[in-house]
DNA sequence: TGTCCACAGGAAATACGGGGGT
DNA sequence: ACCCCCGTATTTCCTGTGGACA
């Protein structure tokens, strides 16, 4: 037995115990909390009067149910992380309980579109949730899916409240989806349907077919972004439960709140930032300092890029890798699609992939642009023709990590030499 | 002022692969 | 096992265009 080693480990354990920052990690990540803890957390946030005004409005809107009327649809606007989902879920659970006590039939569902999906998948998800159908990838018509949903609801006579979260995330056939929900479904079922459509795009109804839009009788509710004070409340609650007392330096909570506030008042991001900072502090064996918050913010941003690329289609990954290679090889301050495409073809041949046409490649390039991996713009060189100018401006470290991630992900780290 | 480059990006056609029905 | 239908991915086809240059 290596006594030196065991001593060292012993010391480390003691030291880390002394300097432990995190008391209960689960309170830094909502998904790890069991339901009753979530409810308790939400209640303590709402007791802090953080979303009072919005809850008042919700109550007012839904009082029709108790009068035996059908409330009109509700459109909710607010940036991501302003507590739309949390507040509405909380409210609906409450409402459900109230209805139950008064013997009113009510049923609510939460359709979460936070990852974009086509109409078919969205309807399929809904059908699954109300147990009207199983999950399909393909092979069944939209019509059939709609019919199954109608069939399930046909004989339900109570109130059916459908909360569509991030409702503008329907890809492609936006209209089909909302024509169904707004015009067709209510006509074919006995249930009294009330939609809650939440989105962060203020102008999303302008995408709707005018005929559907005119059919949509609705109220509107606006979630204002959290201000720094609200965020501090929310963070304090978490800190109290998740961290040991006295481990957070002065000003840290204020700083996290301020940073999150500047970025659209997103509470989830604020909590993530707190969580990451606490992790770093724990690893380093120090208190949670202002400097660690900065570092955590940087790491979170990089992690997001890496996660995005890892879960992207393979050709998008190849496009990214090819652009990185081409960028390193180019002497100029930018490159055009053709150069990037040549690099992509080389990458594909070395990686044993069938390259796509330049048309498809171009779409991937603009996708990378919208996600912020690259900057590109279309630029005319007069007689030299028009082409897209591509610039890669990521921090060196992130660029390398992205490249490594892609190679690893495509299982090619051995095949390709470092660029 | 008109020409013309070299690609962007929309629309339609086609290929692909899962899934139901028989 | 076979065929056909479907949504999605990709290709094919094609029109449009900003501005240097003649």
């Amino acid at each position: 037995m290596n006594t030196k080693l065991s001593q060292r480990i012993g010391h480390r354990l003691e030291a880390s115990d002394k300097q432990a920052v995190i008391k209960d990690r689960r309170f830094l990540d909502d998904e790890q909390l069991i339901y009753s803890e979530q409810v308790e957390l939400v209640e303590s946030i709402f007791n802090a009067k953080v979303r009072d005004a919005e809850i008042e409005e919700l109550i007012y809107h839904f009082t029709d149910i108790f009068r035996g009327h059908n409330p009109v649809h509700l459109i909710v606007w607010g940036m991501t992380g302003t507590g739309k989902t949390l507040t509405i879920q909380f409210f609906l659970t409450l409402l459900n309980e109230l209805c139950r006590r008064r013997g009113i039939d009510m049923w609510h569902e939460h359709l979460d579109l936070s990852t974009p999906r086509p109409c078919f998948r969205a309807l399929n998800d809904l059908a699954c949730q109300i147990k009207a159908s199983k999950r399909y990838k393909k092979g069944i018509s939209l019509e059939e899916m709609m019919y199954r949903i109608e069939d399930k609801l046909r004989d339900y006579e109570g109130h059916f409240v459908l909360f569509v979260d991030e409702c503008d995330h329907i890809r492609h056939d936006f209209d089909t989806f909302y024509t169904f929900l707004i015009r067709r479904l209510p006509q074919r079922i006995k249930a009294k349907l009330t939609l809650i459509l939440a989105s962060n795009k203020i102008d999303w109804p302008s995408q709707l077919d005018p005929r559907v839009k005119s059919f949509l009788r609705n109220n509107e509710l606006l979630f204002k972004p959290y201000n720094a004070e609200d965020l501090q409340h929310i963070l304090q609650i978490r800190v109290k439960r998740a961290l040991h007392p006295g481990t957070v330096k002065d000003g840290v909570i204020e700083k996290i709140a301020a940073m999150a506030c500047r970025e659209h008042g997103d509470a989830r991001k604020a909590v993530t930032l707190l969580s990451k900072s606490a992790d770093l502090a724990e690893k380093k064996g120090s208190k949670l300092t202002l400097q660690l918050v900065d570092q955590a913010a940087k790491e979170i941003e990089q992690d997001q890029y890496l996660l995005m690329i890892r879960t992207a289609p393979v050709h998008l990954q190849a496009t990214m890798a090819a652009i990185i290679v081409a960028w390193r090889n180019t002497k100029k301050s930018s490159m055009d699609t053709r150069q990037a495409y040549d690099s992509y073809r080389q990458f594909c041949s070395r990686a044993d992939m069938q390259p796509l046409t330049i048309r498809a490649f171009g779409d991937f390039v603009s996708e990378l642009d919208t996600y912020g991996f690259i900057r590109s713009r279309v630029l005319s060189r007069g007689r030299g023709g028009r082409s897209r100018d591509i610039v890669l401006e990521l921090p060196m470290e992130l660029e390398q990590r992205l490249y490594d991630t892609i190679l690893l992900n495509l299982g090619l780290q051995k095949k390709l030499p470092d660029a």
Side-chain angles (χ1 to χ4, degrees):
Chain A
M1 184 64 193
N2 185 339
T3 48
K4 269 192 176 167
L5 179 63
S6 62
Q7 267 180 10
R8 215 168 70 218
I9 293 175
H11 276 139
R12 283 286 288 278
L13 281 174
E14 271 175 31
S16 69
D17 188 44
K18 247 183 246 163
Q19 291 167 336
V21 175
I22 298 174
K23 182 168 64 182
D24 191 344
R25 179 183 302 279
R26 295 176 313 133
F27 279 97
L28 293 174
D29 179 4
D30 288 340
E31 290 180 9
Q32 287 184 33
L33 292 176
I34 57 173
Y35 183 70
S36 64
E37 287 170 328
Q38 276 186 20
V39 170
E40 195 207 327
L41 193 65
V42 169
E43 279 179 350
S44 61
I45 289 174
F46 291 138
N47 283 340
K49 299 198 184 278
V50 172
R51 278 294 178 218
D52 259 15
E54 284 79 3
I55 292 186
E56 278 296 322
E57 289 243 14
L58 283 168
I59 293 169
Y60 179 73
H61 183 87
F62 278 94
T63 42
D64 275 349
I65 284 190
F66 300 125
R67 304 196 186 114
H69 300 157
N70 189 12
V72 297
H73 304 312
L74 184 65
I75 293 187
V76 180
W77 282 323
M79 302 301 295
T80 46
T82 49
K84 296 189 295 286
T85 308
L86 206 61
T87 310
I88 292 171
Q89 290 269 56
F90 173 77
F91 171 76
L92 287 177
T93 314
L94 208 67
L95 184 67
N96 209 336
E97 174 61 24
L98 288 176
C99 285
R100 201 179 53 77
R101 277 197 226 147
R102 299 190 184 199
I104 298 171
D105 233 359
M106 182 220 160
W107 178 10
H108 70 271
E109 287 291 342
H110 174 207
L111 183 63
D112 183 9
L113 306 179
S114 44
T115 48
R117 68 201 70 184
C119 176
F120 178 81
R121 287 236 195 97
L123 285 178
N124 191 200
D125 288 344
L126 174 60
C128 289
Q129 279 189 31
I130 63 174
K131 301 196 172 57
S133 160
K134 61 172 187 158
R135 191 161 295 279
Y136 292 92
K137 286 197 170 174
K138 298 163 178 176
I140 185 175
S141 74
L142 265 175
E143 187 59 32
E144 170 70 19
M145 193 61 74
M146 291 176 182
Y147 181 78
R148 289 189 191 187
I149 292 171
E150 287 165 8
D151 202 44
K152 182 75 186 186
L153 295 172
R154 199 172 311 268
D155 296 320
Y156 178 71
E157 296 194 6
H159 290 273
F160 182 62
V161 180
L162 178 62
F163 170 28
V164 186
D165 206 353
E166 306 285 326
C167 64
D168 56 310
H169 277 189
I170 299 288
R171 291 199 332 219
H172 313 302
D173 35 14
F174 197 79
D175 282 330
T176 319
F177 185 73
Y178 286 105
T179 308
F180 173 71
L181 279 187
I182 295 170
R183 296 196 62 170
R184 176 169 156 178
L185 189 59
Q187 289 176 356
R188 303 197 182 193
I189 59 177
K190 286 185 191 153
K192 303 185 187 80
L193 175 73
T194 304
L195 298 170
I196 301 181
L197 305 172
S199 160
N200 50 30
K201 289 211 185 71
I202 208 85
D203 63 335
W204 76 268
S206 65
Q207 296 177 48
L208 275 176
D209 186 318
R211 280 170 300 169
V212 180
K213 206 159 73 179
S214 69
F215 211 80
L216 180 67
R217 298 273 162 262
N218 65 283
N219 271 339
E220 290 159 16
L221 171 60
L222 179 70
F223 274 64
K224 290 188 258 339
Y226 289 120
N227 58 33
E229 202 182 322
D230 298 334
L231 288 172
Q232 282 182 31
H233 266 301
I234 291 170
L235 289 169
Q236 291 284 9
I237 289 167
R238 303 284 182 150
V239 166
K240 205 182 294 170
R241 279 157 218 250
L243 306 183
H244 286 292
T247 49
V248 179
K249 286 241 177 170
D250 286 347
V252 164
I253 291 180
E254 288 77 1
K255 173 160 186 164
I256 294 176
M259 286 173 82
C261 190
R262 204 172 47 212
E263 305 215 354
H264 323 300
D266 185 334
R268 198 173 317 148
K269 276 192 194 149
V271 173
T272 316
L273 188 53
L274 173 67
S275 163
K276 190 93 185 183
S277 308
D279 279 343
L280 290 176
E282 179 119 333
K283 215 180 285 170
K284 211 175 145 203
S286 76
K287 291 194 173 182
L288 211 171
T289 61
L290 292 172
Q291 186 214 337
L292 282 176
V293 175
D294 283 325
Q295 194 187 335
K298 192 178 126 205
E299 286 191 16
I300 286 173
E301 198 194 333
Q302 294 205 355
D303 287 350
Q304 279 172 348
Y305 278 110
L306 290 171
L307 180 67
M308 226 187 286
I309 206 72
R310 226 184 350 237
T311 53
V314 286
H315 281 289
L316 191 71
Q317 299 187 33
T319 305
M320 186 71 231
I323 289 177
I324 291 176
V325 174
W327 182 252
R328 288 175 181 178
N329 291 336
T330 188
K331 306 273 184 304
K332 289 173 244 157
S333 62
S334 69
M335 60 186 151
D336 59 28
T337 309
R338 176 62 60 183
Q339 285 166 274
Y341 185 62
D342 289 344
S343 169
Y344 164 78
R345 292 195 69 120
Q346 275 181 29
F347 184 89
C348 285
S349 82
R350 286 198 286 175
D352 267 339
M353 290 166 64
Q354 190 66 38
L356 301 180
T357 53
I358 196 165
R359 177 69 186 81
F361 179 78
D363 284 344
F364 284 126
V365 172
S366 50
E367 201 169 335
L368 284 174
D369 182 44
T370 57
Y371 291 142
F373 287 88
I374 61 174
R375 283 194 305 121
S376 78
R377 66 207 170 106
V378 180
L379 157 74
S380 172
R381 282 176 248 273
R383 278 222 160 152
R386 312 176 71 208
S387 72
R388 191 192 278 277
D389 227 35
I390 301 169
V391 180
L392 185 66
E393 273 182 338
L394 298 171
M396 220 27 199
E397 183 199 343
L398 176 57
E399 183 188 308
Q400 185 61 44
R401 285 178 75 194
L402 272 176
Y403 188 70
D404 294 342
T405 304
I406 295 170
L407 293 196
L408 190 70
N409 218 26
L410 301 181
L412 322 154
Q413 68 276 37
K414 295 218 178 67
K415 279 188 187 169
L416 287 170
D418 269 11

